[in-house]
Amino acid sequence: MKRFENKNVLITGSTQGIGAACATRFASEGANIILNGLNLDAGGEEMMNKISLLGGKVKFVADNVSKAHQSINLVNEAVKAFGSLDILVNNAGVERNKNFWEVTEEEYDLVMDTNLKGAFFGTQAFTKYCIENKRSGVVVNMSSVHEEIIFPHFAAYCASKGGLKMLMRNLATELAPLNIRINNVAPGAIGTPINQKLMADQEKLEKVTQNIPMKRMGTPEEVAALVAFLASDDASYITGSTYFIDGGLTYHYEEQ
Ligand code: NAI
Ligand code: BGC
């Protein structure tokens, strides 16, 4: 029996990168998938085909999670897609590399609204659905090592992921009586389009990987394996925690 047979899973921002790897992993373990992105681009089309080939049902819902009403609509459409929703992965995220003193309100809003507000209202809509239908549920948020450690020149990004840490901790207690589990996954440097610039700069990439005890970036598939574990019944007693997946980056110590 596959772990996610008859389970319906919504993954926000799943046209590429970590979200796409999560969708693929859930589908390979039997799930039906609701994909999401701002619009159905080539990546979304490719994912639709990939999931279908894995044998699961798939639907793409275009919504911008940085707008509360669209984030809520996305969850409601996901419920309608296959009649129920079991797992929500709040994965969509953006970052902007800027000196703190140059960040505009527009850039701040984009980062905070996509990474934090989207997860807030998506999880709220999912919670209401679970209450109304007397169902249990699982939420996994894609946080970052930067919910814990600094990332100079990414102040808004760090604020959004720090917020996601406290949102998750708060909701774990509030939602436990409703049988809804919620956890964060906190990746370090992962090889996805968000790191395109870094990966194209050999010198910078070398510096970044030398600072990681395992001396390499992680893969989206490695992150997806952790997400699937936390979303599965294998993690039935796990709620309210952050799981780091970072090759040792967060708590490392350089021996002198
Ligand atoms: P990516 O840029 O490759 O993918 C982001 C996805 O989110 C895309 O599918 C994009 O279409 C979607 N998206 C962006 N804004 C959206 C919006 N407003 N509404 C709906 N969808 C939207 O990035 P990656 O690396 O796959 O990142 C996914 C998540 O993982 C993000 O939350 C990011 O902060 C987090 N993360 C990534 C790390 C990395 O090194 N790649 C490390 C730590 C965390
Ligand atoms: C960021 C990446 C960065 C990684 C490690 C992630 O949250 O999105 O750009 O490489 O953290 O610093």
Side-chain angles (χ1 to χ4, degrees):
M1 171 87 174
K2 292 181 171 178
R3 279 197 297 188
F4 299 108
E5 209 84 64
N6 301 318
K7 299 280 187 197
N8 301 323
V9 185
L10 165 60
I11 303 126
T12 70
S14 38
T15 59
Q16 61 180 37
I18 293 172
C22 290
T24 307
R25 176 71 191 232
F26 280 113
S28 70
E29 294 199 50
N32 301 315
I33 305 292
I34 299 95
L35 296 168
N36 157 257
L38 290 167
N39 43 55
L40 185 52
D41 56 12
E45 296 274 12
E46 196 184 311
M47 283 305 296
M48 296 275 286
N49 293 332
K50 200 169 181 182
I51 303 296
S52 300
L53 286 173
L54 287 166
K57 286 187 265 183
V58 59
K59 185 175 163 102
F60 183 91
V61 181
D63 262 316
N64 180 344
V65 302
S66 73
K67 308 286 177 202
H69 71 279
Q70 290 195 44
S71 186
I72 293 163
N73 181 66
L74 171 60
V75 170
N76 295 337
E77 287 301 314
V79 169
K80 277 193 229 156
F82 310 121
S84 62
L85 187 62
D86 301 283
I87 295 161
L88 167 64
V89 182
N90 289 311
N91 167 76
V94 291
E95 66 183 25
R96 289 291 178 274
N97 180 353
K98 268 270 187 92
N99 292 323
F100 167 67
W101 55 94
E102 287 170 334
V103 175
T104 64
E105 183 178 0
E106 201 183 329
E107 287 160 344
Y108 172 92
D109 285 345
L110 175 73
V111 172
M112 292 297 285
D113 291 355
T114 307
N115 301 4
L116 185 56
K117 192 162 90 176
F120 188 106
F121 285 101
T123 305
Q124 186 188 67
F126 183 54
T127 301
K128 284 184 184 174
Y129 159 74
C130 291
I131 293 171
E132 280 159 19
N133 294 277
K134 297 189 172 51
R135 291 177 66 94
S136 61
V138 186
V139 180
V140 181
N141 296 320
M142 197 54 63
S143 182
S144 164
V145 290
H146 302 300
E147 71 160 52
E148 187 67 24
I149 61 173
I150 63 157
F151 199 13
H153 314 294
F154 290 82
Y157 186 74
C158 286
S160 74
K161 298 296 186 180
L164 201 53
K165 171 171 80 175
M166 287 312 295
L167 176 65
M168 175 277 294
R169 289 185 180 176
N170 210 65
L171 296 189
T173 294
E174 214 172 319
L175 305 188
L178 303 171
N179 280 321
I180 299 173
R181 295 191 296 107
I182 180 165
N183 292 288
N184 280 10
V185 165
I190 309 298
T192 73
I194 216 174
N195 280 321
Q196 216 159 20
K197 249 180 144 177
L198 168 69
M199 291 187 290
D201 183 337
Q202 222 24 63
E203 210 175 306
K204 208 161 168 213
L205 181 62
E206 182 69 15
K207 264 197 191 158
V208 166
T209 51
Q210 281 313 306
N211 190 42
I212 300 169
M214 287 182 74
K215 307 290 179 213
R216 68 168 176 89
M217 293 179 89
T219 68
E221 290 74 24
E222 287 172 316
V223 179
L226 175 58
V227 173
F229 165 69
L230 288 171
S232 78
D233 289 343
D234 292 335
S236 53
Y237 195 51
I238 299 181
T239 198
S241 291
T242 292
Y243 290 81
F244 289 85
I245 174 160
D246 62 358
L249 172 68
T250 304
Y251 297 115
H252 80 281
Y253 170 73
E254 292 293 334
E255 275 185 280
Q256 305 303 310

